[in-house]
Amino acid sequence: ASMPQALSVGDRLRLSGGYDYEPRWLPNGQSYFGTLVAFIPGQNAIPAAVVQLDRPITVDDVIGEVLVLELRYKGAMWKETETVHVELCPFVPESRSWQHREQGKWVESHATYHRVDAENAL
């Protein structure tokens, strides 16, 4: 078994729901695809990941195409798949400390992402 590769900028990710059977932000059990574009300071020691979605999504009254993902569990690392908090941003989040940057809309506490091969992500 090879070591799980850490995520890197440019990776393609598929985001899906967690505990909620039908999370509001994922209608009809769908997934969203996006590209990891940056790491920015997170709420904890581990950076947050910024994902540019392939198309904008709407949650309640917020429309955005950028998600900020924060690792949910202590000791978790950015690898093939992990459980994350999801924040939907109708703007590009600044690479500033969490307390000092504009906050997006918090949409999910137990989402899951999976790294996908580029050819599978069309």
Side-chain angles (χ1 to χ4, degrees):
S2 59
M3 280 291 291
Q5 269 307 113
L7 288 189
S8 51
V9 168
D11 282 349
R12 296 280 297 155
L13 302 179
R14 176 170 61 87
L15 285 133
S16 48
Y19 287 167
D20 275 347
Y21 179 61
E22 291 192 342
R24 276 176 319 144
W25 69 292
L26 287 162
N28 312 319
Q30 68 192 45
S31 302
Y32 296 130
F33 289 92
T35 302
L36 177 60
V37 293
F39 288 103
I40 62 173
Q43 296 181 49
N44 314 307
I46 304 280
V50 180
V51 175
Q52 171 72 49
L53 294 171
D54 292 354
R55 58 186 61 90
I57 64 172
T58 304
V59 180
D60 298 336
D61 51 353
V62 176
I63 301 171
E65 55 187 57
V66 175
L67 300 179
V68 177
L69 310 182
E70 292 256 10
L71 291 168
R72 180 76 178 82
Y73 296 112
K74 197 168 174 59
M77 300 298 285
W78 290 111
K79 56 184 196 299
E80 302 284 333
T81 181
E82 202 42 85
T83 301
V84 287
H85 287 286
V86 178
E87 177 189 340
L88 173 63
C89 295
F91 51 84
V92 175
E94 300 169 296
S95 186
R96 301 173 61 178
S97 67
W98 181 75
Q99 295 87 339
H100 293 107
R101 69 172 174 82
E102 189 180 350
Q103 303 287 306
K105 179 180 179 64
W106 188 88
V107 294
E108 164 77 270
S109 64
H110 288 81
T112 308
Y113 72 81
H114 293 274
R115 179 166 49 205
V116 291
D117 300 330
E119 58 271 19
N120 296 343
L122 300 176

